[in-house]
Amino acid sequence: MTEQPVHRADLRIDVDALRNNVALLAERARRSGARTMVVVKSDGYGHGAATVARAALSAGASELGVAAIGEALRLRADGITAPLLCWLHAPGDDFDAAVAADVQLGVSSEAELHAIAAAAQARSTTARVHLKIDTGLSRNGCPPELWPSLVQRAAKAQAAGAVEVVAVWSHLACADELGHPSIDAQAARFDAAYRQARAAGLDPIRHLANSAAVLTRPDLHFELVRPGIAAYGLDPVPQDGDHGLVPAMTFRSTVVLTKRVAAGESVSYGHRWTADRPCTLALVPVGYADGVPRSLSGRMEVWLAGRRRPVVGRVCMDQLVVRCDDDPVAAGDEVVLFGAGEQGAPTAAEWAEALGTIHYEIVTGMYRPRVTRTAVGTEAT
């Protein structure tokens, strides 16, 4: 018996858009004298980490960043040899494997420094580390009161050849809120931590700027910037104007059935929508199991047959229904649920606004068992 595909939708990843976005960001960084690290954690924000990594490196990025050691090792297994930083460690993480794969490691505590140094010494090699200071986000990073001890320990470990302190770094909490006072407050704390590291005998580079700061705070670019979401074409500061970013992910499906219904006929569970006149309905075989939030029921549109059309009735687990009035639509017609917004088609940012969330959450959650992912474009990998 022929095996049947289980997918009913596709994520199209535009590699040319990725390259466009990274090139724009890297050029901003270059004007400040900074290199560019593109963040490809969470499987490249749902776009495919290896695909994004290759596109980013070909477009001007010099290095990459991920959260977990497993993510870093998968990139190495995929043939990515560029400098690669990993920063969020859990108890039991395999620092030996990371050191062996030449993965640079974020350090937020003396315990992490000790474990990484031990792994390097066991291999008679040197681990490259980035010391992270918590400047006010209160997540990962060394608390300021423990920082002097950490940099002293790091200096000793470096003198012993166990580690090389590549960088001091931190992360901004409110860079997407232009003029927020915390930005300058964190920058001042960061500068103080950097000076303490220098006083301890270290000579690290600095990196602080996320996507929003790359676009709006060139004074915080330092020697390296770390764009994430902007590389994928989703603007973290749209209030600052058009930055030329192009969304790289398009979520598509197809019509599988059309039917005419009479006025008074209702659609989907709960009969929350009733036709006010005869109309054509198009059935699309995706639902909340495929990443379409049920809470968008009655609040979303799709691009179908040359125009935006409303989804009517409740979004179901496997399907949704589109009102097409009297327009000709047919099984097999492409349906764009969100994309780059060409001709006014829906975008992930619109979904996020309707849901009261951020576009990061939308794109990172789209790659699911019944959704395929295809890289397209002149540099597709």
Side-chain angles (χ1 to χ4, degrees):
M1 184 173 65
T2 303
E3 183 176 350
Q4 295 295 308
V6 298
H7 61 272
R8 292 290 185 268
D10 175 54
L11 296 177
R12 184 180 61 195
I13 308 302
D14 185 344
V15 177
D16 292 333
L18 292 170
R19 286 171 49 81
N20 167 82
N21 302 330
V22 173
L24 288 172
L25 297 163
E27 175 56 29
R28 284 179 177 259
R30 275 193 296 271
R31 292 201 296 265
S32 300
R35 305 192 310 273
T36 299
M37 172 190 292
V38 170
V39 179
V40 296
K41 65 181 180 177
S42 191
D43 195 21
Y45 289 47
H47 293 66
T51 293
V52 178
R54 293 189 179 98
L57 293 167
S58 69
S62 59
E63 43 215 281
L64 305 165
V66 295
I69 289 175
E71 295 176 316
L73 297 179
R74 279 191 290 274
L75 285 171
R76 288 290 189 247
D78 283 332
I80 304 300
T81 59
L84 177 56
L85 172 65
C86 170
W87 56 76
L88 186 59
H89 313 306
D93 273 359
D94 190 350
F95 291 125
D96 177 73
V99 171
D102 192 27
V103 174
Q104 300 178 33
L105 295 162
V107 171
S108 294
S109 69
E110 289 188 38
E112 288 181 348
L113 177 66
H114 177 76
I116 293 167
Q121 288 176 320
R123 284 191 163 270
S124 299
T125 189
T126 301
R128 306 187 75 201
V129 300
H130 296 228
L131 305 181
K132 187 173 187 182
I133 174 70
D134 180 5
T135 55
L137 188 57
S138 300
R139 298 190 319 185
N140 195 25
C142 180
E145 64 272 16
L146 301 179
W147 182 254
S149 179
L150 176 61
V151 295
Q152 291 288 344
R153 295 274 185 170
K156 291 179 181 178
Q158 180 165 281
V163 304
E164 175 191 349
V165 178
V166 175
V168 167
W169 69 297
S170 192
H171 195 51
L172 295 166
C174 304
D176 57 346
E177 299 180 44
L178 302 182
H180 195 285
S182 71
I183 303 172
D184 286 339
Q186 284 193 259
R189 291 180 178 181
F190 184 67
D191 183 64
Y194 172 68
R195 291 176 183 275
Q196 287 176 307
R198 295 280 303 208
L202 300 173
D203 186 24
I205 66 167
R206 296 162 291 174
H207 51 101
L208 178 66
N210 57 6
S211 288
V214 173
L215 294 169
T216 65
R217 293 294 301 262
D219 58 312
L220 301 182
H221 287 180
F222 301 120
E223 294 78 39
L224 181 69
V225 299
R226 296 191 319 273
I229 196 67
Y232 304 92
L234 301 173
D235 200 326
V237 280
Q239 68 272 33
D240 188 53
D242 184 359
H243 294 112
L245 303 173
V246 180
M249 178 185 287
T250 296
F251 181 39
R252 309 178 303 167
S253 187
T254 56
V255 174
V256 295
L257 177 72
T258 64
K259 63 177 63 177
R260 293 287 290 180
V261 296
E265 290 295 324
S266 299
V267 171
S268 198
Y269 292 123
H271 279 184
R272 299 297 182 181
W273 182 85
T274 300
D276 57 1
R277 63 183 180 84
C279 66
T280 296
L281 301 177
L283 183 66
V284 184
V286 292
Y288 56 79
D290 309 297
V292 184
R294 187 174 182 271
S295 54
L296 283 180
S297 298
R299 299 193 292 153
M300 66 178 291
E301 296 177 322
V302 300
W303 186 264
L304 169 59
R307 55 169 285 193
R308 291 176 72 124
R309 303 177 189 275
V311 172
V312 295
R314 282 182 174 156
V315 173
C316 305
M317 183 183 295
D318 315 298
Q319 51 198 299
L320 53 81
V321 178
V322 181
R323 176 175 177 166
C324 300
D325 296 321
D326 297 322
D327 295 335
V329 294
D333 286 353
E334 181 183 82
V335 178
V336 175
L337 291 97
F338 68 74
E342 302 101 331
Q343 300 177 302
T347 64
E350 289 181 43
W351 278 28
E353 183 176 1
L355 293 166
T357 185
I358 56 176
H359 40 41
Y360 301 63
E361 182 179 359
I362 302 302
V363 295
T364 56
M366 295 310 303
Y367 188 38
R368 300 184 180 217
R370 297 193 303 193
V371 179
T372 61
R373 187 170 61 195
T374 306
V376 299
T378 57
E379 298 290 340
T381 53

